[in-house]
Amino acid sequence: MQLGNACSAAKQDARRSLAAVKELARARGETYLEYAKKYLTQRDFRNAKATAVEGRRLCGGLFYLAVQEQLDDLLRDIEVAEAKLLKG
C-alpha cells in the first residue's frame, strides 16, 4: 500500500467514525427527549428532569443543537409544571 492510499483510507475511516458519533448523538438525544416527555405527561417530574439532563449530556457538542434546544425547552416546561404543582 502506498503512503497516499494509507492517508486516504485513514481519512475515510475518520469520516465514518465522525458520522457514527453524530448518528449516535442524534439517536440518544431524540430517545431521551421522548422518554422525558413521557415522564412529564405522567407528572413524574423527577425522572423527567433527570432524563432530559442526561439526554442533553449525551447529545452535547456541536452536532444536534435542535435536539439540545428541545431538551432545554422541556427542562423549562418541567420547572413550570413543578412550580404550578407547588402553588396549588
Side-chain angles (χ1 to χ4, degrees), residues 20-36:
V21 167
K22 284 181 170 182
E23 177 60 27
L24 186 58
R26 182 195 62 77
R28 284 179 172 172
E30 290 176 354
T31 300
Y32 276 75
L33 177 63
E34 291 305 312
Y35 277 114

